[in-house]
Amino acid sequence: MSEVSDMGDAEGFRGGLLHLDSGADRRAQSVTRALGGLFARSWRERYGDAGYRHRDLAAEPVPPLGSGYVALGTRAERQGVVPLAKVAALAEGADEEREWALTLPLVEEVRAAGTLLLGVPMYNFGVPAALKAWIDRVSFPGAYTDPDSGRSLLGGTRVVVVAACGGGYGPGTPRESCDFQVPYLRAFFGQLGVAEEELHVVRAELTRAGDIAALAPFKDLAADSLAAARAAVAELAVRPHDRRPDALHM
């Protein structure tokens, strides 16, 4: 279910928190859901419920792109940067209108958020399909570019990626080159214009050490990684963040 509460002016933040869960495992054992929940609870305790939005992308999947999205996006891109309010007028036919109706509310959520919180488990070396569908949908051409200045509208947006992987993929590990989870997300948000210093990745590794025999020798490392992730998430949740006014051109 999506939780949407009214936007407020709680001291210490701008634009509120958009919280996305993408893991198929919706049980309490989910590491990314637990860590993301910790961030969200800490944030809400500090700032209240105003401006908090939650989307469970596994429970309520974002529809995959259709031909109408591609046609409308291509037409808009050929005209340069088209303001969101003018995109609907470019739609030709019911298919394109439907695709834009599915897209616009998600894009507006991203543009309005001061902080994006993503819970992202590693699936087959990459991100879950549920998250990829959301990424594809919100990546409408020009949606995060100021038509007047050409600057990114997300320059002051904070992105917090709470990630988890069953094995070890850090620097120097045998599977370092197989990590298409974190590098992909860094590239994606960087391309949208999120400032490098505003992109925070917290990852718990070796989360399957307790139930996969081959990973059993790494249980201590897994516990340390999870503890460090919890501490980092708790600290980030209460760290003051003011979205820069010059990035807010709605």
Side-chain angles (χ1 to χ4, degrees):
M1 296 293 292
S2 299
E3 294 180 32
V4 180
S5 57
D6 294 335
M7 298 297 291
D9 294 321
E11 184 179 356
F13 77 93
R14 297 290 184 272
L17 172 65
L18 175 58
H19 176 192
L20 305 175
D21 276 312
S22 64
D25 186 356
R26 302 180 65 210
R27 302 173 299 169
Q29 296 95 316
S30 168
V31 174
T32 58
R33 287 178 183 269
L35 291 174
L38 172 60
F39 185 104
R41 286 192 302 273
S42 299
W43 190 93
R44 295 167 85 177
E45 287 172 2
R46 183 177 180 89
Y47 302 122
D49 289 341
Y52 176 73
R53 287 176 164 86
H54 177 245
R55 282 191 177 275
D56 189 333
L57 300 176
E60 296 183 356
V62 171
L65 304 186
S67 178
Y69 182 103
V70 178
L72 179 60
T74 301
R75 191 176 306 115
E77 195 168 28
R78 286 172 177 164
Q79 296 194 22
V81 179
V82 179
L84 291 188
K86 297 183 178 181
V87 173
L90 300 178
E92 298 179 357
D95 187 31
E96 293 185 19
E97 291 173 355
R98 172 183 174 276
E99 290 289 335
W100 184 237
L102 291 170
T103 303
L104 179 59
L106 300 178
V107 170
E108 289 179 329
E109 282 186 350
V110 174
R111 287 176 43 149
T115 297
L116 299 179
L117 169 65
L118 295 86
V120 189
M122 177 185 282
Y123 289 170
N124 301 307
F125 306 132
V127 302
L131 178 59
K132 185 58 168 61
W134 177 86
I135 286 174
D136 289 344
R137 177 70 58 182
V138 301
S139 300
F140 192 83
Y144 309 103
T145 303
D146 186 327
D148 297 323
S149 67
R151 297 171 63 185
S152 172
L153 299 175
L154 302 184
T157 302
R158 177 173 63 165
V159 176
V160 178
V161 175
V162 179
C165 52
Y169 295 86
T173 61
R175 287 195 169 186
E176 178 183 1
S177 63
C178 297
D179 181 6
F180 299 100
Q181 177 196 41
V182 170
Y184 167 70
L185 292 172
R186 286 192 181 279
F188 169 69
F189 285 110
Q191 181 66 27
L192 289 190
V194 174
E196 185 177 354
E197 65 271 18
E198 296 285 10
L199 179 55
H200 307 273
V201 178
V202 178
R203 183 160 70 178
E205 297 202 344
L206 298 163
T207 61
R208 300 295 305 279
D211 60 287
I212 295 180
L215 296 178
F218 305 109
K219 286 183 179 180
D220 289 345
L221 290 176
D224 290 344
S225 179
L226 182 57
R230 285 174 176 154
V233 164
E235 189 276 329
L236 280 169
V238 298
R239 181 188 300 177
H241 172 256
D242 287 335
R243 186 171 178 179
R244 291 190 290 273
D246 62 359
L248 296 175
H249 300 290
M250 304 301 292

